[in-house]
Amino acid sequence: MTHSPESNPTLSAAEAAELIRSLLHKEGTWVDWGKKCQQLQKAGYGAEEIFEQSGFQKVQQNLVIVASQVYESLVKQGIDETVLSYYRGPKSDVLYELRILNHQQRAIAAVEAQQKNLAADEAKELAKAFQEFGYLSQLPEGFTDHPGDALAYQCWKLARQKKNLPERTRLIVKGLKFAHSLNARQAIEKLLTDLTAQPSRKAPLVPVFRLEEDQEAARLIPVAGIFPLEPQAVQTVQSLEQVEPFGLVNYQGEGAVVPVPQWQAILTAEDPVAIFCPAGQVSESLARKDEQVLVVVDRSKKIWNDGSYFLLNQGETVAIQWCETEPEREILAQVVLVLRPKKIFDANNLREPWQMDD
């Protein structure tokens, strides 16, 4: 393909031909190739045209152009000649992966990649970790703002979440390879013996009570309804106030109330509401999942903690869940207790295997 000299006023035909010839014979280093490819492209030569005349494919042109720009930014940052010589070696693919960093970060990451003799895929991972580390509002305890510590922190965080021992060990070894500071190294080494770092905490025990035959005076709880239930039904139900010493309740309006024994959990609830639902919708750990239970929730408690179950707003309905981390859904209330119905003696039970209540 012949390029019209009128379309590249910044480069004469003779100058362009010389650049093409130099690229064809691969004269100089890849840094020179990147500069020459960029000169030709700025002068109006297309990547396909350059490829046809020099043999440099489009992908290779892009790589050496970008990598040479990263190289020049290292020169401006005053990087030691030993490091620069290493990258001319050639290591254009490694420098290409540092393009996402700012000039100052590139200089630090380039030295780290040279000292660790990183391949392109490792340099890509290092650069990404270093970039994301810069987005944190504050540094994690024990880790510095060095790219090695940034990648070591990622390994540390992932290792703590792994159950698989070989995978966990691989991440620890990788973290130790990149850890720059002593504190970061010690944090990762601790994972080798820290058994408490195992993931996936078990859900807490559900606060289940069974109604016995003889109970003390009950507290009347307003009923929101039966599952499935809209969030508004829980939010709008009228609260009840009991007047001591006899627990007198003045109640106006429509609705229902249910008596619940005055256990400590019920006495301390500030704004309790009752809901009826199958036991399985409270927790899969409960036996007799189809048994209807009464769930008392306290609408005054809407702050998440990992030791309780909560009633969550699911949009059109509500759901009872335990969440290991703070939920994104709105918390409507905290579960106070789950009440099973009173046992009814059945002679047929004598023929069944004896079981303890769970």
Side-chain angles (χ1 to χ4, degrees):
M1 179 183 295
T2 304
H3 190 84
S4 173
E6 287 79 11
S7 62
N8 55 80
T10 60
L11 203 63
S12 68
E15 290 171 330
E18 175 57 24
L19 290 175
I20 293 291
R21 184 202 64 77
S22 179
L23 287 172
L24 183 63
H25 292 88
K26 288 186 168 55
E27 295 178 351
T29 67
W30 65 262
V31 179
D32 301 314
W33 305 342
K35 293 178 180 178
K36 291 169 184 176
C37 286
Q38 187 175 22
Q39 279 184 277
L40 289 167
Q41 287 189 11
K42 283 185 175 181
Y45 286 80
E48 183 64 31
E49 185 177 1
I50 297 172
F51 165 61
E52 291 175 356
Q53 297 189 45
S54 69
F56 275 75
Q57 297 181 354
K58 291 182 180 180
V59 174
Q60 188 180 14
Q61 291 177 47
N62 179 63
L63 187 147
V64 294
I65 289 173
V66 174
S68 65
Q69 292 170 344
V70 174
Y71 179 89
E72 288 302 317
S73 70
L74 298 183
V75 174
K76 292 179 181 178
Q77 288 292 315
I79 292 296
D80 188 80
E81 172 58 28
T82 304
V83 179
L84 295 176
S85 175
Y86 170 81
Y87 284 108
R88 292 195 301 268
K91 294 286 182 180
S92 58
D93 56 342
V94 175
L95 284 190
Y96 176 82
E97 300 300 345
L98 305 186
R99 68 192 184 281
I100 63 174
L101 304 174
N102 61 41
H103 288 196
Q104 187 176 7
Q105 289 175 325
R106 287 175 185 175
I108 303 172
V111 172
E112 177 71 5
Q114 181 257 343
Q115 291 177 346
K116 295 287 193 301
N117 193 26
L118 301 185
D121 57 340
E122 294 176 307
K124 181 178 182 179
E125 193 175 7
L126 180 76
K128 188 173 184 296
F130 196 22
Q131 184 187 52
E132 292 177 354
F133 214 54
Y135 297 150
L136 299 178
S137 57
Q138 63 181 33
L139 293 176
E141 185 178 356
F143 294 85
T144 67
D145 58 353
H146 187 275
D149 272 14
L151 187 50
Y153 171 71
Q154 279 199 355
C155 295
W156 175 83
K157 185 169 64 173
L158 289 173
R160 294 175 71 243
Q161 300 170 3
K162 294 295 182 182
K163 290 182 179 180
N164 182 276
L165 186 58
E167 182 66 15
R168 182 182 173 92
T169 303
R170 185 190 68 81
L171 287 166
I172 291 175
V173 171
K174 183 177 179 181
L176 290 174
K177 172 184 175 181
F178 285 97
H180 177 74
S181 66
L182 177 61
N183 287 340
R185 174 172 290 274
Q186 290 175 341
I188 296 172
E189 287 176 343
K190 187 180 178 184
L191 294 181
L192 293 170
T193 55
D194 188 2
L195 299 179
T196 63
Q198 293 294 337
S200 300
R201 293 178 58 246
K202 291 184 179 180
L205 295 176
V206 180
V208 180
F209 294 76
R210 181 173 289 282
L211 193 62
E212 302 296 343
E213 292 186 10
D214 297 320
Q215 299 293 345
E216 298 177 355
R219 178 176 181 179
L220 295 180
I221 308 292
V223 177
I226 303 174
F227 270 29
L229 201 60
E230 295 181 353
Q232 187 177 6
V234 178
Q235 294 169 323
T236 59
V237 66
Q238 180 182 344
S239 300
L240 298 182
E241 292 185 6
Q242 293 193 197
V243 181
E244 298 301 335
F246 299 104
L248 176 66
V249 174
N250 292 311
Y251 185 73
Q252 296 178 347
E254 299 179 353
V257 296
V258 62
V260 179
Q262 295 193 59
W263 292 307
Q264 186 65 27
I266 295 298
L267 287 173
T268 56
E270 296 179 17
D271 189 13
V273 172
I275 296 169
F276 292 94
C277 70
Q281 294 198 27
V282 178
S283 172
E284 288 295 320
S285 66
L286 296 182
R288 302 179 185 177
K289 295 180 176 56
D290 58 344
E291 179 184 47
Q292 188 179 66
V293 295
L294 184 149
V295 182
V296 178
V297 299
D298 190 349
R299 294 182 299 186
S300 71
K301 294 181 173 61
K302 299 182 180 180
I303 300 177
W304 169 84
N305 66 78
D306 63 358
S308 304
Y309 285 74
F310 291 91
L311 185 70
L312 303 181
N313 186 340
Q314 299 285 63
E316 296 182 357
T317 61
V318 297
I320 295 173
Q321 292 180 7
W322 171 74
C323 304
E324 186 172 2
T325 57
E326 187 170 1
E328 296 181 358
R329 297 283 189 176
E330 177 189 9
I331 295 177
L332 299 176
Q334 178 180 314
V335 173
V336 173
L337 62 81
V338 179
L339 186 63
R340 281 177 164 163
K342 181 173 62 177
K343 276 185 177 179
I344 299 177
F345 179 78
D346 185 349
N348 291 328
N349 287 342
L350 296 176
R351 303 186 183 94
E352 301 296 329
W354 182 77
Q355 296 181 356
M356 286 186 65
D357 288 343
D358 45 26

